[in-house]
Amino acid sequence: NAGVTQTPKFRVLKTGQSMTLLCAQDMNHEYMYWYRQDPGMGLRLIHYSVGEGTTAKGEVPDGYNVSRLKKQNFLLGLESAAPSQTSVYFCASSSPGQGVSPLHFGNGTRLTVT
Amino acid sequence: GNSVTQMEGPVTLSEEAFLTINCTYTATGYPSLFWYVQYPGEGLQLLLKATKADDKGSNKGFEATYRKETTSFHLEKGSVQVSDSAVYFCALKRDPFQGAQKLVFGQGTRLTINP
């Protein structure tokens, strides 16, 4: 049972370069999320999706774009990377319905922008 | 706004010691509260949760009680083990009726248990 899989695990970019982070989940979850984790700041929500073909902004969306063309995949794009985007990126998914549903996280992508 | 504040780490304890990690929150209404744990090299996973005042969440020997009067959700364990070494995150869900789990996380507390 793979759960939530993120690729790549590590990446180094130069300022101005672009890249796409891929998240795939096999739990048939409706909701998917991208968070970034920075030292001393916990996790902050970048974008999220409540279903195939939908996306919405989170707390820190600037500099990122996302797409949810298939239910199982959620892509995070950086069009022109900046050193401030050096971080660990986590994808998560959850099942629908009101109330509390656990977030299932991938193992993260460590991105360094030089 | 809504926020979560955790005690600063890192926290280092000996095996079998008593653990408390403090967490306080600021939120309007009645948020749901969570503790997530991140083991080295892994993503976060839900440890326990509470959805209303005076609820006690518990799992794997850890406990936390939702205290609305003090806006707190402190994590406790009576006897820690080396395998409990991890980073612990307190979090809240602002709107308990919303389907999407848009959580607000604290900064995390790194816990190291020495044998």
Side-chain angles (χ1 to χ4, degrees):
Chain A
N1 188 358
V4 178
T5 303
Q6 293 182 233
T7 52
K9 290 182 170 50
F10 302 94
R11 186 71 186 268
V12 178
L13 288 180
K14 294 184 178 179
T15 298
Q17 288 185 320
S18 63
M19 77 163 295
T20 300
L21 281 67
L22 173 63
C23 176
Q25 54 96 1
D26 62 2
M27 295 172 284
N28 201 34
H29 285 166
E30 288 292 332
Y31 300 149
M32 297 187 74
Y33 316 79
W34 277 106
Y35 282 90
R36 60 177 289 173
Q37 182 183 26
D38 301 295
M41 301 186 71
L43 279 76
R44 293 179 291 168
L45 182 63
I46 304 171
H47 286 281
Y48 66 102
S49 168
V50 300
E52 182 178 319
T54 74
T55 63
K57 294 180 180 180
E59 183 184 354
V60 288
D62 293 343
Y64 305 95
N65 57 75
V66 288
S67 64
R68 183 98 181 269
L69 298 180
K70 294 183 178 180
K71 184 178 182 179
Q72 63 268 32
N73 296 337
F74 195 31
L75 279 63
L76 178 71
L78 287 73
E79 291 185 347
S80 179
S84 60
Q85 294 177 305
T86 294
S87 187
V88 180
Y89 292 86
F90 285 99
C91 178
S93 68
S94 68
S95 56
Q98 293 182 348
V100 175
S101 177
L103 285 172
H104 296 263
F105 283 87
N107 286 355
T109 295
R110 183 173 296 275
L111 175 66
T112 302
V113 183
T114 61
Chain B
N2 301 292
S3 64
V4 175
T5 302
Q6 294 180 228
M7 65 184 290
E8 290 192 17
V11 175
T12 302
L13 296 172
S14 297
E15 204 164 22
E16 299 183 3
F18 184 86
L19 168 70
T20 299
I21 300 178
N22 290 338
C23 171
T24 57
Y25 68 90
T26 301
T28 56
Y30 299 88
S32 297
L33 301 175
F34 308 84
W35 278 99
Y36 276 79
V37 58
Q38 182 181 28
Y39 298 104
E42 298 182 7
L44 284 71
Q45 54 186 276
L46 180 64
L47 180 60
L48 53 84
K49 65 181 186 288
T51 58
K52 60 183 187 295
D54 300 323
D55 265 2
K56 177 185 285 187
S58 62
N59 186 26
K60 299 181 180 179
F62 290 89
E63 293 182 341
T65 301
Y66 189 143
R67 301 287 189 199
K68 189 158 180 64
E69 64 274 14
T70 55
T71 62
S72 65
F73 193 54
H74 304 322
L75 183 67
E76 297 181 335
K77 186 174 185 182
S79 177
V80 293
Q81 306 300 313
V82 172
S83 57
D84 294 327
S85 298
V87 181
Y88 292 81
F89 292 89
C90 186
L92 68 82
K93 181 183 179 186
R94 292 169 280 190
D95 180 358
F97 299 104
Q98 186 180 47
Q101 304 298 317
K102 294 163 57 182
L103 302 190
V104 176
F105 285 87
Q107 70 269 37
T109 302
R110 181 175 298 278
L111 173 67
T112 301
I113 307 300
N114 293 321

